[in-house]
C-alpha cells in the first residue's frame, strides 16, 4: 500500500540578499508590490524588509515592460497585493536569477504525513509530493515522518533497507518515492 506525504510551505521563505544599510543577509518578503507606470511602460517590484534593520529591498518582477503585454488579470493581482502571486514569483527561477537572490526555507515548510506511520509492516512504500520547490534532505523527511533519528535513517540507507530511485543523501525539491524495509 502506497502512503502519500506532502511537503507544504507554511509561509513565504526568507530572501538571501545583502542589506545595504546593515550587515544582515536576510529579507522577509511582505507580499506587497510596488507598481510604477511611465506612459506606455510599467515597472513592478516585490517588496521585502530586512530582518534586522527593516530597510526595504525592491525585487524586480517587471522592468520597462509594455503595459499592453501584461495580462489584465496579472495587473489586477499586482494592484491587489495578492500573496499567492508573491509566492509564485518567489518560485520563478527567472525572478531569482534577475535579482541575484536565493531563498532560505528554514522554518517555512511542514511535512504532512496524513496520520501516524505504521512501521510494523514488512515494507512501507511512501510517495513524497512537494507543493513548492523546497530543497529538503530526504533523510530529514524520512526521519521526521517515521519518528526516527537521522542517524538511524542514514544507517537504514547504508544497509539497503531504505531505497529509492533517487539519491537519498543529498537535497531534493521534486517528488520522489521510497521504500522502507523492516
Amino acid at each position: 500500500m502506497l502512503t502519500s506525504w506532502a511537503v507544504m510551505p507554511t509561509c513565504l521563505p526568507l530572501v538571501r540578499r545583502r542589506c545595504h544599510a546593515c550587515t544582515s543577509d536576510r529579507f522577509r518578503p511582505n507580499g506587497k508590490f510596488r507598481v510604477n507606470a511611465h506612459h506606455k511602460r510599467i515597472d513592478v517590484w516585490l517588496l521585502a524588509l530586512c530582518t534586522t534593520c527593516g530597510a526595504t529591498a525592491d525585487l524586480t518582477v517587471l522592468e520597462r515592460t509594455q503595459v499592453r503585454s501584461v495580462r489584465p488579470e496579472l495587473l489586477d493581482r499586482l494592484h491587489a497585493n495578492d500573496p499567492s502571486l508573491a509566492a509564485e514569483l518567489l518560485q520563478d527561477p527567472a525572478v531569482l536569477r534577475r535579482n541575484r537572490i536565493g531563498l532560505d526555507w528554514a522554518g517555512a515548510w511542514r511535512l504532512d504525513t496524513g496520520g501516524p506511520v505504521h512501521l510494523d509492516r514488512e515494507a512501507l512504500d511512501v510517495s513524497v509530493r512537494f507543493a513548492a520547490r523546497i530543497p529538503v534532505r530526504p533523510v530529514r523527511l524520512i526521519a521526521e515522518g517515521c519518528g526516527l533519528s537521522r542517524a538511524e535513517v542514514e544507517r537504514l540507507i547504508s544497509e539497503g533497507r531504505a531505497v529509492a530511485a533517487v539519491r537519498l543523501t543529498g537535497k531534493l525539491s521534486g517528488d520522489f518515492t521510497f521504500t522502507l524495509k523492516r
Side-chain angles (χ1 to χ4, degrees):
M1 185 170 141
L2 186 67
T3 306
S4 295
W5 292 357
V7 178
M8 309 290 291
T10 56
C11 61
L12 292 176
L14 293 178
V15 173
R16 289 186 313 217
R17 178 180 177 173
R18 177 78 47 209
C19 180
H20 68 278
C22 69
T23 59
S24 176
D25 63 347
R26 298 285 191 266
F27 283 81
R28 180 168 309 286
N30 59 5
K32 295 189 179 184
F33 296 94
R34 180 176 292 152
V35 181
N36 191 10
H38 307 281
H39 302 285
K40 296 179 182 179
R41 304 225 181 246
I42 190 168
D43 294 321
V44 178
W45 300 277
L46 175 62
L47 303 179
L49 302 175
C50 177
T51 56
T52 304
C53 68
T56 303
D58 297 334
L59 306 177
T60 303
V61 176
L62 297 174
E63 189 171 37
R64 308 297 294 161
T65 305
Q66 289 281 343
V67 175
R68 289 183 182 194
S69 68
V70 180
R71 295 184 329 269
E73 307 86 44
L74 177 61
L75 275 176
D76 292 341
R77 290 177 73 189
L78 289 168
H79 286 297
N81 291 321
D82 186 357
S84 63
L85 178 61
E88 289 173 29
L89 291 172
L90 282 174
Q91 292 292 310
D92 186 1
V95 172
L96 297 176
R97 201 172 30 256
R98 178 184 301 131
N99 291 287
R100 291 185 221 116
I101 59 173
L103 300 178
D104 181 4
W105 283 97
W109 62 273
R110 68 178 170 82
L111 177 64
D112 183 16
T113 60
V117 176
H118 302 289
L119 294 176
D120 55 346
R121 292 190 230 154
E122 184 70 27
L124 177 67
D125 292 322
V126 178
S127 170
V128 181
R129 184 182 58 80
F130 286 80
R133 284 187 296 256
I134 304 171
V136 182
R137 296 184 189 283
V139 170
R140 180 176 179 186
L141 293 176
I142 296 169
E144 188 176 318
C146 296
L148 304 171
S149 69
R150 288 190 207 173
E152 192 171 352
V153 172
E154 288 173 356
R155 183 181 55 78
L156 291 172
I157 291 171
S158 66
E159 291 175 356
R161 293 178 31 204
V163 294
V166 296
R167 199 180 69 174
L168 294 175
T169 55
K171 284 190 175 183
L172 291 176
S173 59
D175 301 349
F176 69 98
T177 59
F178 71 92
T179 302
L180 189 62
K181 300 174 189 170
R182 252 186 94 163

